[in-house]
Amino acid sequence: MPPEPATPAAAVRIVLVEPSHPGNIGAAARAMKTMGFDELVLVRPERFPDPQAQWRAAGAEDVVDSARVVDDLDEAIADCGWVVGTSARARRVPWPVETAEQFAARLADEGLGGRPAAILFGRETSGLSNEELNRCNLHVVIPAHPDYSSLNLAMAVQVVCYELHKPMADAESHERRPESHWDRRLASAREMDGFYRHLEEVLVAIDFHDPEAPRQTLTRLRRLFNRVRADATEVAILRGVLKHVEQAIQRNP
């Protein structure tokens, strides 16, 4: 049976990675609440809890109070199907990129696949690292004037939440909910991470991948599978194939 469609707002998680100023946390919480979102996760915040977060929340103190603090990004996204990074950085290996409006339309059209969607926002000064961006299915950009495209953290959260809210509000106005097109739940970030580790081990074992000279092979493979967005059953099949490869190597060293 297809998974029950999740309530869209409740299934969208805003993740702030190493925010340095508590005022930005409070302002981001306010931006979220005005658009109907309330799940906030903080990865290693520099100062939290802090009175400035409460003060800047201005009516969204409940979002601040319920914010979950975690030690690493893995913990923040482990159960998520969609992992989306906000970034304006050009990458050596191009990644799927959409505007916030395009991603919101896709999410409304394709559904959540039975798992939460995590939207990652990086550090105020340096954004998300390349390693963090590699964990994402796609990158979301906010089109801005090329002469000055820098947005404050809370402003970026506001714009993305607004774009996500628009199709949700339209669905509610027509008394309908987005349906999931999946017959299985999407693979979680934790399941995908386990698959990538398993894949690397097998590629090393068959001398396809040299960890001493890795080049871009694993990055491009990660990009491929992140773009496909496999479900949990498909990942289990892939890992079964890898297991049989390992057994074949053991039988015929």
Side-chain angles (χ1 to χ4, degrees):
M1 293 290 291
E4 289 294 322
T7 302
V12 174
R13 179 179 305 165
I14 302 299
V15 180
L16 307 185
V17 178
E18 295 186 354
S20 60
H21 197 288
N24 285 332
I25 297 174
R30 181 180 182 180
M32 291 169 58
K33 188 166 184 177
T34 60
M35 295 297 136
F37 301 99
D38 59 13
E39 186 174 0
L40 176 62
V41 177
L42 309 174
V43 180
R44 295 187 301 274
E46 190 171 313
R47 291 162 50 196
F48 188 84
D50 188 282
Q52 288 193 51
Q54 294 286 340
W55 175 66
R56 288 289 300 278
E61 292 87 355
D62 56 326
V63 178
V64 173
D65 290 339
S66 63
R68 183 160 56 96
V69 178
V70 298
D71 293 328
D72 55 52
L73 183 59
D74 286 342
E75 188 176 352
I77 65 174
D79 61 331
C80 295
W82 278 103
V83 180
V84 179
T86 56
S87 176
R89 182 191 310 172
R91 293 173 50 82
R92 181 178 175 184
V93 178
W95 219 257
V97 176
E98 295 181 355
T99 67
E101 183 177 22
Q102 288 169 334
F103 169 64
R106 179 197 282 222
L107 194 62
D109 180 59
E110 295 185 11
L112 290 156
R115 292 196 178 276
I119 317 296
L120 314 185
F121 294 83
R123 303 152 188 85
E124 289 93 331
T125 55
S126 59
L128 295 167
S129 69
N130 283 335
E131 182 180 354
E132 290 158 351
L133 288 169
N134 281 347
R135 303 295 304 277
C136 301
N137 299 103
L138 61 85
H139 300 163
V140 161
V141 297
I142 299 172
H145 196 284
D147 290 345
Y148 191 66
S149 58
S150 177
L151 282 175
N152 170 272
L153 174 60
M155 291 179 181
V157 173
Q158 183 74 80
V159 172
V160 172
C161 286
Y162 168 67
E163 294 295 353
L164 290 169
H165 171 72
K166 286 195 297 184
M168 287 166 39
D170 180 65
E172 291 173 359
S173 69
H174 290 84
E175 296 184 350
R176 61 179 175 84
R177 298 173 66 183
E179 295 181 357
S180 172
H181 301 305
W182 302 96
D183 64 340
R184 296 289 189 276
R185 290 185 181 276
L186 288 178
S188 68
R190 179 186 288 116
E191 290 166 333
M192 292 303 300
D193 193 51
F195 165 68
Y196 292 133
R197 290 197 302 270
H198 195 176
L199 176 63
E200 181 176 9
E201 291 170 0
V202 172
L203 294 181
V204 171
I206 63 175
D207 293 328
F208 184 87
H209 172 65
D210 181 2
E212 300 300 321
R215 306 178 76 173
Q216 298 293 329
T217 301
L218 291 177
T219 299
R220 290 181 180 275
L221 286 172
R222 181 183 284 268
R223 179 181 66 176
L224 167 64
F225 286 106
N226 280 351
R227 189 167 69 241
V228 171
R229 298 179 63 237
D231 65 35
T233 301
E234 291 164 341
V235 170
I237 292 171
L238 289 170
R239 294 202 65 174
V241 172
L242 295 177
K243 184 65 176 177
H244 276 71
V245 172
E246 291 174 322
Q247 292 170 347
I249 293 171
Q250 292 170 359
R251 289 194 300 268
N252 303 287

